[in-house]
Amino acid sequence: MSVVSQSDPDLFKPLKDVFGYATFRPLQEEIIRASLEGRDVFALLPTGGGKSLCFQLPALVRPGLTVVISPLIALMKDQVDSLTATGVPATFLNSSLTEAEAGARWRGLNNREYRLLYLAPERLMVGSLIDDLRRWGVSCVAVDEAHCISEWGHDFRPEYRQLRTLRERLPEGIPFMALTATATGRVREDIVEQLHLKDPGVFVASFNRPNLTYRVAPKSSGYRQVLDYLRSRPRDGGIIYCASRAGTESLASKLVEDGIKAVPYHAGLDPRERSRNQEAFLRDETRVVCATIAFGMGINKPNVRFVIHHDLPKNLEGYYQETGRAGRDGLPGECLLLFSPGDVTKQNVFIEEKPDEDDRARAREQLQQMVHYAEIGECRRAALLDYFGEEFPESNCGACDNCLNPRATWDGTQSAQKLLSCVYRIRQKNGFAVGLNHVVAVLLGGDTEKVRQWGHDTLSTYGIGGEHSRSEWGAIARELMRLGFLRQAAGQFPTVEVTPLGFAALKDRRQIMLTRPMESAGIRVERVGEIGCDELLFEKLRQTRKRIADEKGVPSYIIFGDNSLRLMARQYPVTGDEFRRISGVGATKLESYGTEFMAEIAAHLQTNPRQIFADDSFKPVAASAAKKTRGELMNDSVRETLRQYRAGVPLGQIGTARELAESTITGHLASALEAGEAIDLDQIISPGEQAEIQAAFEKAGWNTLSGAHNLLDGRIDYGRLRLFRAAQARG
């Protein structure tokens, strides 16, 4: 383990030697230096922004013990496993330990063998542990997931409130650090106050997650939509959030019946089953976890490629936190919300069951913000950032459904006039406002008891709305609320009224443009974070990683993250110096795993040519560039394949005779094509398949073989995909 003195300003040595990174992420260095200067710190970094490093690296630099307050046992174990794999002495104390394990860790703490100690807030305040911390030389306290201390946060935990007294019970001058990924301005102020942070350095990074794509689709046949989505991404793993425990179990059961490896997760499961299911997901033994919001904070899995919300979340803060589970490794992630107005009704029922009116009012406001997000026609990224008080500077984010496929607007003046007039006429006739459902019933000419009782079948607006369905009128009304023409009162039975702006629009017959409804069409885009690589080698490295992880009894990402593997499959490191330059490879991991991974890469290169990459995206080498790398492209194995191909031997026979997969043989021909040799594409790939491949690449982007492979449901192997792409590059 590399340790430098606290006065040494060079933090990059331990950053690379221990953690394997050459550069800091935004604000990490500033946060670390402020803490090492002895200042209290409040740090708000988005999920995947590297919060943990902000207290882990200083723990190696400053003397003494850094105590990390963490809310969940699983989160502690995950971080300690990761630190141990990099050679950092860290441990945790919690109820999951046997008596012998706990005893060994206490002895290590008494001997000052550890640099970091993870504790739950309730464990910290029990017995004489604070006295023990004094004896162990505590030098910093880091409160992770600090939003849990605020009742205004989305995940308030009463046990966190006990931390208010911690400062007075520890030696004076010990710096505190509060870290969170989601906190509005109000929550930030509450965290600083509750933890008694003294003139803290405040660091707030952007909430923007550029590698995430946001999409909302109308929920039509929820299960079929989920199944189709998963089948279009056969190698990706992710989380599906459901509103109820029964919903998670039902969805997981159906997916298993349809051949998708899925497990449920909710607070009502037997703890052992819940732990097994979580472990299976962390170790890539199951692709999908169907979960309630009980699943999330303790999950540090970096290669979650998608998050689906099968049901409407309660608030935007929770939604942001849950979608943030995708793409923690910086590679692309997708966030899909299935939206149904029926889910809004269900949430309102739950809200009205709350005993406290202030809680109900707050929940109604949060739900209204969530519905607004789901139905807007503008940039979803901008809407999310605006919720946290941040302005998105671009007019088009390029990574949400509304920006990628803008929804058309239409002249909704007449429809708006009808709805506003109906609301006004009802109020004028009876002297009181009614709910939206009743207004729609009047517009559609409904024959209900209340319509007859209140005489609304005699209004001039009765039955004039037959051009729209009930759901369409609901969507129009909600958009008029967002535009400020209508307002909805709070309460168990919310009523709607025309605003002054709405009255002016009625009077002046002002044009009102509305947004077309959402469509269910999917989107495939080239996204921030994509790392083009040799997909066949990447798959081999994944298998090697899984084998090593299983032998050690840890999740795969503890060994290496997907981003590190993709860089290996892009740069082909076969020496220690080359391997050391891969992001995420520190000294300990090089020593522990380098030999096996380099051997896998070297073995791959014996039968497969090195692919060439240009700049930040994958691109087949043009003819002029290919000449420079011909020696690398045309190895002996490629030459032999080319010789037999030109002799007229069928590709399948070439592969069988040489004990190579046919995809490897077509990959050889792709290398030959890139090196300038003539290959007749039509002899290998039919015109129909070429059209399919062309369409798949245009959707997925030319920099990713796996994207096209997934869109084609794996029917066309990587070798032929690469061959087609090479032919396109040749023109």
Side-chain angles (χ1 to χ4, degrees), residues 461-474:
T461 53
Y462 180 74
I464 66 171
E467 72 272 26
H468 296 300
S469 67
R470 178 177 292 276
S471 62
E472 288 170 343
W473 276 118

Side-chain angles (χ1 to χ4, degrees), residues 84-305:
T84 302
T86 60
V88 175
T91 191
F92 60 81
L93 294 175
N94 60 41
S95 59
S96 71
L97 299 174
T98 65
E99 186 174 344
E101 289 172 332
R105 296 183 188 210
W106 278 86
R107 286 191 294 274
L109 288 163
N110 286 328
N111 293 331
R112 300 200 176 191
E113 296 173 2
Y114 297 109
R115 289 303 187 103
L116 292 109
L117 169 64
Y118 286 75
L119 295 168
E122 54 269 36
R123 179 67 182 86
L124 178 64
M125 310 306 289
V126 171
S128 61
L129 186 56
I130 291 181
D131 293 332
D132 294 318
L133 293 180
R134 291 170 176 268
R135 192 173 70 255
W136 295 334
V138 60
S139 57
C140 179
V141 175
V143 180
D144 201 9
E145 307 292 352
H147 61 273
C148 292
I149 203 171
S150 174
E151 63 181 344
W152 302 106
H154 70 283
D155 202 10
F156 171 56
R157 299 191 175 212
E159 59 268 23
Y160 258 66
R161 288 289 199 186
Q162 302 174 46
L163 299 178
R164 289 180 294 187
T165 65
L166 181 59
R167 180 146 234 159
E168 288 71 30
R169 300 176 62 184
L170 287 174
E172 188 175 351
I174 292 177
F176 272 56
M177 181 183 290
L179 307 102
T180 180
T182 53
T184 60
R186 189 175 195 177
V187 172
R188 297 174 209 172
E189 293 174 4
D190 201 23
I191 292 170
V192 171
E193 179 183 348
Q194 294 295 331
L195 288 175
H196 304 302
L197 300 185
K198 301 172 182 177
D199 187 28
V202 176
F203 302 90
V204 179
S206 171
F207 283 88
N208 186 25
R209 297 284 307 283
N211 62 314
L212 298 188
T213 299
Y214 299 98
R215 179 156 62 100
V216 180
K219 187 193 290 184
S220 51
S221 55
Y223 176 69
R224 174 52 58 180
Q225 289 171 283
V226 168
L227 184 61
D228 289 347
Y229 183 97
L230 296 178
R231 284 178 170 169
S232 72
R233 296 155 178 80
R235 291 171 56 195
D236 292 347
I239 305 169
I240 305 175
Y241 282 105
C242 303
S244 68
R245 297 176 179 182
T248 67
E249 296 188 11
S250 173
L251 184 58
S253 177
K254 289 178 182 177
L255 289 174
V256 170
E257 289 175 4
D258 280 310
I260 305 291
K261 289 183 178 180
V263 294
Y265 187 101
H266 59 75
L269 287 176
D270 177 83
R272 287 170 296 183
E273 181 181 2
R274 193 166 65 239
S275 178
R276 282 197 305 271
N277 290 351
Q278 176 171 303
E279 198 71 9
F281 182 62
L282 292 177
R283 296 191 180 189
D284 296 324
E285 292 165 1
T286 187
R287 275 186 62 199
V288 179
V289 60
C290 303
T292 62
I293 58 173
F295 184 85
M297 190 185 301
I299 302 307
N300 197 32
K301 184 178 170 68
N303 61 336
V304 173
R305 298 272 66 91

Side-chain angles (χ1 to χ4, degrees), residues 13-35:
K13 188 176 187 332
L15 179 69
K16 180 56 184 172
D17 288 351
V18 180
F19 298 100
Y21 302 118
T23 59
F24 287 103
R25 295 182 185 179
L27 295 183
Q28 282 183 325
E29 185 178 3
E30 294 90 329
I31 292 167
I32 289 169
R33 292 195 183 280
S35 180

